[in-house]
Amino acid sequence: MSERIEDIAIAMVAEGQGILAADESTGTIQKRFDSIKVENTEENRRDYREMLFRDEEAMNNYISGVILFEETLFQKAADGTPFVDLIRKAGAVPGIKVDKGAMPLPGAGIETVTEGLDGLRERLAKYHAAGARFAKWRAVIAISDTTPSHNAIHANAHALARYAALCQEAGIVPIVEPEVLMDGPHSTHDIARCEAVTEWALKEQFQELYYAGVKLDGMILKPNMVVPGQKSGTSASVEEVAERTVRVLKNCVPSAVPGIAFLSGGQSDEDATAHLSAMNAMYDLPWKLTFSYGRALQAACLSAWGGKKENVPSGQMAFTHRARMNSLASLGKWSIEQEKSA
Ligand code: 13P
């Protein structure tokens, strides 16, 4: 495959494909394993990820890239095959989460800034040598009655831009992920508020990317969709989510960006798929719109597997199904009938 970042970025949003976010940190995978009562050992983490990466139907047809946690980038399958080789063999691009997590922003209450810039240039060289050709950095923007502050939006956008410039210098495509959270106990967090905050975060983000000299044709944006807060007591139709999300993106994302790959953010599997499909079906857009889901691709697979070897085929069936539904959604061709017919 070409080593130009522009070509890698295009491959990451190939027609009918999207990204598997399997980069749960050891702490986050603990929560996922707790939910199925599986012990969080290195071997279990390997077995779980091996089930995903060896699902040939899903990986060959629907998955263009896989985001890995550092441990997984250097890990091998039970038979000694490096995971990076399994992913490449399926025609997908291996990627790596490089941020060190969201830390409290001084004096800012619940707000955080994502850290991990110190030593990043050296880490990127090591990840590139190990086969990673794209990276992910996630910033977290929390909505409450008094947040986000400009300080939090700006600090996160600035860090994301510095990270993105370092990635491109290393021949790695940055996924830029400023996530406006959909959870939080705030009654004022309706869909209009989510739209306004998402627009603010993205405006600030592209300004910072410009200042940092980031090439827009060598990056992928990973935003949240515009949805009502989970505890706002309000809901929105699929069409309204699609309309508001596309409006914000059109207002903020230059057409030089080749692709936008959404996070699922705690939406149900079916909502995440339906929303993506509606956007692609309803609008003619300058960028590819696809998925980069963690939970919405893995939740069904995780529970079908339950940590048992004999359940690997059922786990893979569940993963293939979600990957196929989201592939259809990336083409605007998903329907509830296809969902149920499986
Ligand atoms: P979710 O799809 O579960 O939100 O995860 C995607 C991701 O990579 C968050 O950083």
Side-chain angles (χ1 to χ4, degrees):
M1 194 205 282
S2 163
E3 289 285 311
R4 291 175 67 235
I5 54 171
E6 295 86 346
D7 296 328
I8 299 167
I10 288 170
M12 288 165 65
V13 290
E15 188 79 0
Q17 300 197 336
I19 295 166
L20 165 64
D23 60 321
E24 299 83 4
S25 63
T26 306
T28 300
I29 200 78
Q30 173 88 47
K31 289 190 229 159
R32 309 283 184 263
F33 280 4
D34 284 350
S35 72
I36 53 165
K37 301 198 167 53
V38 168
E39 205 190 332
N40 187 14
T41 62
E42 187 176 342
E43 195 177 327
N44 286 337
R45 292 194 292 274
R46 179 200 67 193
D47 290 349
Y48 174 63
R49 266 85 185 231
E50 181 164 356
M51 168 175 63
L52 297 171
F53 307 156
R54 281 202 193 274
D55 181 341
E56 287 184 16
E57 192 182 344
M59 292 292 300
N60 293 350
N61 298 307
Y62 310 127
I63 302 296
S64 53
V66 183
I67 318 175
L68 304 168
F69 188 57
E70 187 176 34
E71 173 186 83
T72 322
L73 179 70
F74 295 99
Q75 212 167 24
K76 294 181 167 75
D79 71 358
T81 313
F83 276 152
V84 165
D85 291 351
L86 277 186
I87 293 165
R88 282 205 197 110
K89 198 166 142 251
V93 186
I96 171 86
K97 173 229 241 350
V98 302
D99 68 67
K100 298 269 188 193
M103 308 299 172
L105 188 64
I110 61 166
E111 294 193 291
T112 61
V113 63
T114 299
E115 297 187 356
L117 289 169
D118 291 351
L120 182 57
R121 180 178 272 125
E122 292 72 27
R123 285 199 289 133
L124 287 168
K126 193 172 79 171
Y127 299 148
H128 189 278
R133 289 296 177 272
F134 74 89
K136 176 189 114 172
W137 177 293
R138 171 175 175 257
V140 179
I141 311 293
I143 293 183
S144 73
D145 293 347
T146 54
T147 65
S149 64
H150 179 258
N151 184 27
I153 296 238
H154 180 257
N156 279 295
H158 180 77
L160 269 163
R162 273 192 63 198
Y163 138 84
L166 281 164
C167 285
Q168 292 188 337
E169 179 190 271
I172 289 179
V173 174
I175 291 186
V176 173
E177 182 179 6
E179 176 177 3
V180 177
L181 294 175
M182 63 184 282
D183 51 9
H186 298 282
S187 55
T188 53
H189 180 174
D190 61 7
I191 192 167
R193 187 91 199 290
C194 179
E195 181 175 350
V197 171
T198 302
E199 181 161 10
W200 185 18
L202 290 177
K203 286 278 181 210
E204 200 80 40
Q205 188 59 66
F206 279 93
Q207 193 62 45
E208 290 297 320
L209 289 167
Y210 172 70
Y211 290 143
V214 172
K215 293 164 68 162
L216 298 183
D217 54 0
M219 64 162 275
I220 299 292
L221 179 71
K222 178 164 175 167
N224 53 285
M225 293 182 194
V226 174
V227 292
Q230 272 167 335
K231 295 186 183 135
S232 66
T234 61
S235 61
S237 68
V238 170
E239 290 70 27
E240 185 178 7
V241 170
E243 191 187 319
R244 287 183 183 266
T245 305
V246 166
R247 182 161 63 214
V248 168
L249 295 175
K250 280 187 171 172
N251 280 333
C252 302
V253 186
S255 57
V257 173
I260 298 175
F262 290 103
L263 59 97
S264 60
Q267 299 181 62
S268 73
D269 294 358
E270 212 171 291
D271 282 354
T273 306
H275 291 151
L276 176 62
S277 195
M279 285 183 241
N280 280 308
M282 289 162 59
Y283 299 94
D284 188 19
L285 299 165
W287 346 263
K288 282 284 179 53
L289 274 197
T290 189
F291 56 92
S292 174
Y293 295 162
R295 284 163 284 181
L297 270 175
Q298 295 183 60
C301 167
L302 195 66
S303 56
W305 173 60
K308 297 194 177 74
K309 227 188 188 112
E310 63 271 24
N311 291 342
V312 164
S314 333
Q316 290 179 328
M317 251 166 63
F319 174 46
T320 299
H321 177 62
R322 282 278 35 97
R324 194 168 78 82
M325 292 302 109
N326 286 306
S327 161
L328 288 167
S330 74
L331 302 167
K333 291 183 175 156
W334 172 85
S335 68
I336 193 78
E337 291 72 34
Q338 314 224 43
E339 183 71 53
K340 301 293 177 221
S341 73

